[in-house]
Amino acid sequence: MTLIEVDDWTLQAKCRGMQDKLFPEGADQKRARAVCMGCAVRSQCLAEALDNRIEWGVWGGMTERERRQLLRQRTDINSWQSVLCGRNGT
């Protein structure tokens, strides 16, 4: 898989061009998460954040805290890309 293929999903994201709004604090996170609802590439976005241990912002509808909790609960998963998107992820 090439770098271009990996990044292709970002071109289809509902949040494209809204980067600053996706890194809110506190109550504003709920508003940012709403952008993710119904997004065609939500799974790819979440997999990207989980596989790369991205610790800031809202990704795939999950906050930093929610992603950390999921990673702690599911230490058995090596590739979130594989689990969430059905791709090999290697």
Side-chain angles (χ1 to χ4, degrees):
M1 184 175 292
T2 68
L3 182 59
I4 292 171
E5 290 169 339
V6 171
D7 289 337
D8 275 351
W9 66 265
T10 62
L11 300 175
Q12 300 171 37
K14 281 177 64 176
C15 64
R16 194 176 83 191
M18 301 175 64
Q19 288 82 357
D20 292 341
K21 294 180 182 178
L22 299 175
F23 299 95
E25 293 183 17
D28 289 333
Q29 287 184 336
K30 189 173 188 176
R31 229 173 310 180
R33 289 174 58 189
V35 173
C36 302
M37 299 306 132
C39 180
V41 293
R42 183 176 175 188
S43 295
Q44 290 95 325
C45 180
L46 181 55
E48 176 85 9
L50 293 169
D51 282 339
N52 293 294
R53 305 302 194 259
I54 298 173
E55 295 187 13
W56 67 90
V58 173
W59 289 74
M62 293 183 82
T63 65
E64 304 99 329
R65 181 177 288 169
E66 292 168 330
R67 291 192 309 274
R68 281 193 302 268
Q69 180 180 8
L70 181 59
L71 288 168
R72 280 193 306 269
Q73 292 172 344
R74 296 301 310 267
T75 58
D76 59 314
I77 296 177
N78 294 322
S79 170
W80 286 96
Q81 182 76 20
S82 176
V83 171
L84 296 173
C85 305
R87 295 189 184 127
N88 188 353
T90 59

